[in-house]
């Protein structure tokens, strides 16, 4: 009787576990999950994984548009290391990125703080976001007209103040700072809205505690607001840096018609994406153009992972 009771007590548990494993609801959930994941997986494979793998392969080939790709080994990468135009373009791109990211973050942070302190009107937020919604080609054309040394409204004001015009897009000293300011104007609204959303997540009790401790506005901003905004600021910096490294339309349109080809004057604004475009679609040397694209991709990957690792280290130190 004891053995019988033991068997009877074990058997239902085993049967129950088999029933749970083979329940129709779990199988249906698995099928539903696969159905929901399939479109995203197909899109990732077609538009991300396949182009990436094809680009890696073609970077090792001598590929021109009218001839089939032939294996070239590391010839393109050896050419990259000795290409002075590539390194000059990379230096110009880094200069543009440093200006656009540093100035853009300061302007975006100030705009977000003003929106948070003075107004929370959705109309004002929509107006601030408006430049981001404008096409880069349209923005470059509008600013090209506004910065024109003869008829541009900006140079009219500059001449009234200083007595002479400035070749913003036509001089080697001014072209990259001018393009960086245009990029700041275009992306400032989007970055400000992101930072504004981060400001709204900070509890008001923290500032009340700071005031009770005798902290002023500037000290609370430096010791409370900025540390609490660190995750959103890191995300904004990473996004701004990636878009700045990939700048093309502002340079291609803004510097064309300035007495020379795009990227002028004297290649002073020949950023890396523009050089890649010229190599691929003007010289039709797609193998070498893809090699430079792979180099830019690796640089952006390293920068992004380094910033994310630094952010994690700062969070661990704070905690």
């Amino acid at each position: 009787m004891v053995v019988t009771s033991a068997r009877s007590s074990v058997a239902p548990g085993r049967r129950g576990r088999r029933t749970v494993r083979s329940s129709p609801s779990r199988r249906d959930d698995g099928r539903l999950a696969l159905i929901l994941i399939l479109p995203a997986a197909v899109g990732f494979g077609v538009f991300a994984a396949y182009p990436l793998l094809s680009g890696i392969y073609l970077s090792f080939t001598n590929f021109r548009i009218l001839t089939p790709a032939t294996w070239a080994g590391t010839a393109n990468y050896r050419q990259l290391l000795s290409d002075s135009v590539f390194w000059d373009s990379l230096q110009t791109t880094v200069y543009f990125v440093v200006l656009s990211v540093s100035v853009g973050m300061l302007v975006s942070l100030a705009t977000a703080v003003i929106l948070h302190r003075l107004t929370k009107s959705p109309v004002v937020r929509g107006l601030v976001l408006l430049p981001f919604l404008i096409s880069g080609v349209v923005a470059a054309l509008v600013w090209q007209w506004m910065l024109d040394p003869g008829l541009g409204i900006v140079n009219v004001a500059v001449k009234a103040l200083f007595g002479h015009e400035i070749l913003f897009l036509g001089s080697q000293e001014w072209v990259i700072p001018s393009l960086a300011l245009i990029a700041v104007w275009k992306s400032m609204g989007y970055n400000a809205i992101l930072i504004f959303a981060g400001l709204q997540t900070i509890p008001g009790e923290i500032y009340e505690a700071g005031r009770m401790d005798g902290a002023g506005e500037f000290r609370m901003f430096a010791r409370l607001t900025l540390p609490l905004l660190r995750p959103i600021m890191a995300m904004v910096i990473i996004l701004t840096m990636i878009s700045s490294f990939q700048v093309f339309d502002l340079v291609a349109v803004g510097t064309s018609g300035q007495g020379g080809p795009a990227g002028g004057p004297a290649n002073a604004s020949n950023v890396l994406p523009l050089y890649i475009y010229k190599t691929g679609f003007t010289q039709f040397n797609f193998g070498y153009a893809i090699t430079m694209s792979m180099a830019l991709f690796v640089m952006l990957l390293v920068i992004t992972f380094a910033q994310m690792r630094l952010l994690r280290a700062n969070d661990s130190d704070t905690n």
Side-chain angles (χ1 to χ4, degrees), residues 1-273:
M1 295 179 61
V2 175
V3 175
T4 306
S5 62
R7 288 178 179 175
S8 61
S9 62
V10 172
R14 291 178 179 173
R15 286 197 298 269
R17 284 195 293 271
R18 275 194 219 102
T19 305
V20 171
R21 285 189 190 130
S22 61
S23 60
S25 61
R26 286 179 177 255
R27 290 198 300 269
D28 294 340
D29 290 342
R31 293 193 191 98
L32 180 61
L34 290 176
I35 292 173
L36 294 176
I37 292 173
L38 186 60
V42 171
F44 176 80
V46 173
F47 297 105
Y50 176 73
L52 177 62
L53 296 176
S54 298
I56 294 174
Y57 167 73
L58 291 174
S59 66
F60 292 96
T61 63
N62 183 15
F63 175 47
R64 297 179 181 270
I65 192 65
L66 298 179
T67 58
T70 57
W71 184 257
T74 60
N76 290 327
Y77 290 94
R78 283 186 274 111
Q79 180 183 352
L80 183 91
L81 295 176
S82 60
D83 188 359
S84 60
V85 180
F86 170 81
W87 295 108
D88 290 341
S89 299
L90 180 60
Q91 183 178 358
T92 303
T93 307
V94 172
Y95 179 37
F96 173 85
V97 170
V98 171
L99 287 179
S100 59
V101 172
S102 57
V103 177
M105 290 305 301
L106 291 175
V107 174
S108 301
L109 180 60
T111 305
V113 172
I114 291 172
L115 288 175
H116 184 67
R117 290 294 184 90
L118 300 182
T119 178
K120 296 182 180 180
S121 172
V123 177
V124 177
R125 275 180 273 170
L127 292 176
V128 171
L129 190 62
L130 187 60
F132 177 76
L133 303 177
I134 299 175
S135 169
V137 175
V138 175
L141 283 174
V142 171
W143 277 101
Q144 186 186 55
W145 297 334
M146 292 174 63
L147 298 176
D148 186 85
L151 303 174
I153 187 173
V154 176
N155 262 310
V156 170
V158 169
K159 186 176 181 180
L161 292 174
F162 302 103
H164 60 86
E165 298 90 354
I166 296 178
L167 296 175
F168 289 101
L169 298 176
S171 64
Q172 299 182 30
E173 296 79 12
W174 282 97
V175 61
I176 290 296
S178 301
L179 291 171
L181 290 178
I182 296 173
V184 168
W185 171 83
K186 190 177 185 308
S187 62
M188 175 266 299
Y190 179 73
N191 294 336
I193 293 299
L194 292 178
I195 299 174
F196 174 78
L199 287 170
Q200 288 187 314
T201 62
I202 300 177
E205 293 81 3
I206 295 179
Y207 295 109
E208 293 178 3
R211 293 188 188 95
M212 291 179 64
D213 291 338
E217 292 292 331
F218 180 77
R219 188 175 181 182
M220 286 193 297
F221 181 78
R223 298 292 182 88
L224 297 177
T225 304
L226 288 181
L228 292 173
L229 282 177
R230 184 181 297 164
I232 190 70
M233 293 287 288
M235 184 192 70
V236 172
I237 290 175
I238 291 173
L239 293 177
T240 305
M241 189 172 292
I242 291 175
S243 63
S244 298
F245 265 106
Q246 295 176 338
V247 63
F248 173 77
D249 47 4
L250 293 180
V251 180
V253 178
T255 59
S256 61
Q258 300 294 321
N267 286 333
S269 61
N270 188 30
V271 293
L272 190 53

